[in-house]
Amino acid sequence: MPIIYKLAISLFALSLTVFGIYGTYQIRSESQDLRDAVEQETRLLANSLLVSVENALRDHQIEDVQKLMQQLERIKPSVDVRIYIQNGNIIRSDAESLIWPKKVEQTLYQAAKEGELKQFYYPVDAPQLFILSLPFNEISSTLRGNVAIVRSLQTMNKNLSKTKTYILLSLITFILFTSLLCLLLGHVYISLPLQRLRQAMRAFRDSTAPPEPLPVSGKDELAVVTQEFNRMTAELFSAYRRLDVETEHRRKLQRALQDADKLISIGQLSAELAHEIGSPLQIVNGRARALAKCNDDYDEVRRIANILVDQTDRITRIVQRLLEFAPRHSTEPMSCDAIAASAEVIDMLGFEARRQGVTMTFAHPESLPLISINKDSIQQIVLNLLTNALAAMVNTGTITIELSQASIIYADQTIPALRLTVSDTGTGIAPEHLSRLFEHYFTTRGRQGGTGLGLAVVKTLVTEMGGSVMAESESGKGSLFTIDLPWRKLL
């Protein structure tokens, strides 16, 4: 519900309450004033009539009393007069215009009999008559009674009804006028400024250019809010620009770090492969020298030639494996066999593992669904983790690589994922270093040539693929890295 409607309804309810209380009080006051006026006028009339009636009755002039009563009733049709005598006689006029209820007559007769003053309204709930019974003064010991006046309240009720109607119309008029005025002013001073703010917010949300500041007029709260909005949008747009620039710089830095880490990894692989290539080269060299001395023994020449072919093929395979890890330009995800991609890296590092006396175990199901991922990325992850694991080994040990199916929670949904775990029995990681393990350039092997890029690149690659990486370690007992990658690229 719009705020101006809430204000109008609140004002309507408040006005209805306040003026309802005021109108009720005004009507009651008016009713009491009219009753007081009727009672006072009736008493004056009764006292005046009482003197004339007493004089006439003292002189036994009953006809004069009746004439007086008739004249009074003709002058004031709303008034009827009767004389109640204690001996049971009732003096009436012939010009009565009101109907005297039996209950009223009985009450008046009883009042005359007891010689008491009596006044009341009839009926009590919705008075239509005002009755006043005034006892005689001492005329004689044998003649006693009351003068009874019954007055119609029709005129008073009409006046009271007019007053109620006037107050009600005034109340309705005031409430409608103030409500409409509230709606109009609320629309001008509240709704329109808020609509401008809302439109500016929508324009700012969809805009790529700096927003135009809203016009500010006045010094009220909405003007202050508009000023703050203009200041906020300008600062937010500037912050968005800075954030875009920083994000682009971060992306460039990440790509540079990835390329640098690949180059470092290739350099390390080159050194390792140099050892592996050196052995077949020595064999080739020795056999070539032996071949040069074998001039007549063709069987020996054939055997040495076959050895040369085998060793050169071995060198070719090693070099081909090295080339497979060279940086590629395409990073688009495609269907990849995670088992085969990981096996290539494990086979590549097999010589270094054997040289260190480390046993590498690769556990995986017979087959896994193809994962939508860049092959270079997953091989880079496996290579970095295995390189770190080998560096953590002292003398001998075991490295276990395992691929399996798992699931991850993404946007409150459970989706299938590939789980890669690499565990080793190396020196482990100190607890104080675990929180910084994936920071760029953080390393505990600076003296041994560590660059602090391997795990940082792993974290970056896994994050780009929508996955997660977790490290567990205990000093002296080895480490466990768990990586979950969604089977399909997440948007």
Side-chain angles (χ1 to χ4, degrees), residues 226-274:
T226 304
Q227 291 176 347
E228 292 298 325
F229 174 78
N230 290 335
R231 186 180 298 110
M232 179 193 69
T233 52
E235 293 176 355
L236 279 177
F237 189 82
S238 177
Y240 288 162
R241 284 291 179 86
R242 291 196 302 270
L243 184 61
D244 289 340
V245 173
E246 292 173 359
T247 302
E248 184 62 26
H249 287 169
R250 185 174 174 229
R251 289 174 181 170
K252 291 180 180 179
L253 178 60
Q254 287 178 345
R255 287 195 292 268
L257 289 173
Q258 292 175 16
D259 293 340
D261 184 70
K262 289 180 180 179
L263 292 175
I264 292 172
S265 299
I266 290 174
Q268 293 173 346
L269 277 176
S270 299
E272 294 166 0
L273 290 173

Side-chain angles (χ1 to χ4, degrees), residues 240-360:
Y240 288 162
R241 284 291 179 86
R242 291 196 302 270
L243 184 61
D244 289 340
V245 173
E246 292 173 359
T247 302
E248 184 62 26
H249 287 169
R250 185 174 174 229
R251 289 174 181 170
K252 291 180 180 179
L253 178 60
Q254 287 178 345
R255 287 195 292 268
L257 289 173
Q258 292 175 16
D259 293 340
D261 184 70
K262 289 180 180 179
L263 292 175
I264 292 172
S265 299
I266 290 174
Q268 293 173 346
L269 277 176
S270 299
E272 294 166 0
L273 290 173
H275 291 285
E276 191 168 354
I277 293 175
S279 178
L281 281 178
Q282 290 177 359
I283 297 174
V284 169
N285 183 269
R287 297 303 177 183
R289 292 178 183 276
L291 182 62
K293 297 178 181 179
C294 296
N295 297 324
D296 300 327
D297 192 350
Y298 294 103
D299 292 335
E300 181 66 16
V301 170
R302 186 183 302 277
R303 187 182 68 81
I304 294 174
N306 288 333
I307 293 174
L308 290 175
V309 170
D310 291 340
Q311 296 302 316
T312 53
D313 287 344
R314 180 183 174 190
I315 294 172
T316 302
R317 288 196 302 271
I318 293 172
V319 173
Q320 183 63 33
R321 291 173 188 171
L322 175 62
L323 292 176
E324 289 179 357
F325 289 96
R328 296 180 173 90
H329 297 290
S330 175
T331 58
E332 293 297 324
M334 57 190 304
S335 296
C336 171
D337 186 348
I339 297 176
S342 301
E344 292 178 7
V345 179
I346 296 170
D347 186 47
M348 177 65 66
L349 295 178
F351 171 77
E352 179 63 22
R354 291 191 298 272
R355 188 180 67 81
Q356 292 183 215
V358 176
T359 301
M360 287 199 299

Side-chain angles (χ1 to χ4, degrees), residues 34 91 143 228 237 292 298 426 433 484:
L34 289 174
I91 302 175
L143 186 60
E228 292 298 325
F237 189 82
Y298 294 103
H433 294 156
D484 290 329

Side-chain angles (χ1 to χ4, degrees), residues 8 71 80 150 170 183 212 332 352 467:
Q71 291 176 357
D80 280 354
V150 176
S170 300
L183 287 174
E212 292 292 334
E332 293 297 324
E352 179 63 22

Side-chain angles (χ1 to χ4, degrees), residues 45-332:
L45 179 61
N47 286 324
S48 300
L49 184 61
L50 181 61
V51 174
S52 301
V53 169
E54 285 180 345
N55 292 333
L57 290 177
R58 187 181 296 111
D59 297 335
H60 303 287
Q61 297 176 353
I62 297 178
E63 293 179 359
D64 293 342
V65 174
Q66 290 178 337
K67 289 180 180 180
L68 179 62
M69 294 166 58
Q70 290 173 1
Q71 291 176 357
L72 178 61
E73 291 171 354
R74 290 191 184 98
I75 295 173
K76 296 185 73 66
S78 61
V79 175
D80 280 354
V81 181
R82 290 184 186 179
I83 309 295
Y84 286 87
I85 309 299
Q86 287 187 351
N87 58 13
N89 294 330
I90 301 176
I91 302 175
R92 305 180 182 180
S93 69
D94 296 331
E96 289 184 358
S97 58
L98 302 177
I99 299 175
W100 292 54
K102 291 183 179 180
K103 187 174 182 180
V104 172
E105 290 184 0
Q106 293 173 358
T107 303
L108 292 176
Y109 180 78
Q110 186 66 28
K113 186 176 180 181
E114 297 177 358
E116 63 178 354
L117 174 65
K118 193 79 172 179
Q119 73 173 25
F120 59 93
Y121 289 90
Y122 183 86
V124 178
D125 296 335
Q128 299 296 325
L129 300 173
F130 174 68
I131 298 96
L132 175 62
S133 179
L134 197 62
F136 292 162
N137 296 323
E138 293 293 335
I139 301 176
S140 65
S141 58
T142 58
L143 186 60
R144 294 183 179 180
N146 284 26
V147 175
I149 296 179
V150 176
R151 181 166 183 170
S152 173
L153 300 179
Q154 184 177 2
T155 303
M156 185 192 79
N157 290 335
K158 285 183 179 180
N159 293 334
L160 188 60
S161 178
K162 289 180 180 179
T163 302
K164 290 180 180 179
T165 303
Y166 172 77
I167 292 175
L168 183 61
L169 290 176
S170 300
L171 174 62
I172 294 174
T173 303
F174 177 81
I175 291 177
L176 290 178
F177 176 78
T178 52
S179 299
L180 292 176
L181 182 63
C182 177
L183 287 174
L184 177 61
L185 296 179
H187 180 72
V188 173
Y189 294 111
I190 298 178
S191 292
L192 289 180
L194 290 179
Q195 288 177 4
R196 287 195 292 267
L197 278 175
R198 182 177 60 185
Q199 292 172 357
M201 290 177 184
R202 290 178 176 175
F204 176 74
R205 181 185 60 191
D206 302 330
S207 176
T208 56
E212 292 292 334
L214 293 177
V216 179
S217 59
K219 297 182 179 180
D220 56 6
E221 290 83 355
L222 284 174
V224 175
V225 171
T226 304
Q227 291 176 347
E228 292 298 325
F229 174 78
N230 290 335
R231 186 180 298 110
M232 179 193 69
T233 52
E235 293 176 355
L236 279 177
F237 189 82
S238 177
Y240 288 162
R241 284 291 179 86
R242 291 196 302 270
L243 184 61
D244 289 340
V245 173
E246 292 173 359
T247 302
E248 184 62 26
H249 287 169
R250 185 174 174 229
R251 289 174 181 170
K252 291 180 180 179
L253 178 60
Q254 287 178 345
R255 287 195 292 268
L257 289 173
Q258 292 175 16
D259 293 340
D261 184 70
K262 289 180 180 179
L263 292 175
I264 292 172
S265 299
I266 290 174
Q268 293 173 346
L269 277 176
S270 299
E272 294 166 0
L273 290 173
H275 291 285
E276 191 168 354
I277 293 175
S279 178
L281 281 178
Q282 290 177 359
I283 297 174
V284 169
N285 183 269
R287 297 303 177 183
R289 292 178 183 276
L291 182 62
K293 297 178 181 179
C294 296
N295 297 324
D296 300 327
D297 192 350
Y298 294 103
D299 292 335
E300 181 66 16
V301 170
R302 186 183 302 277
R303 187 182 68 81
I304 294 174
N306 288 333
I307 293 174
L308 290 175
V309 170
D310 291 340
Q311 296 302 316
T312 53
D313 287 344
R314 180 183 174 190
I315 294 172
T316 302
R317 288 196 302 271
I318 293 172
V319 173
Q320 183 63 33
R321 291 173 188 171
L322 175 62
L323 292 176
E324 289 179 357
F325 289 96
R328 296 180 173 90
H329 297 290
S330 175
T331 58
E332 293 297 324

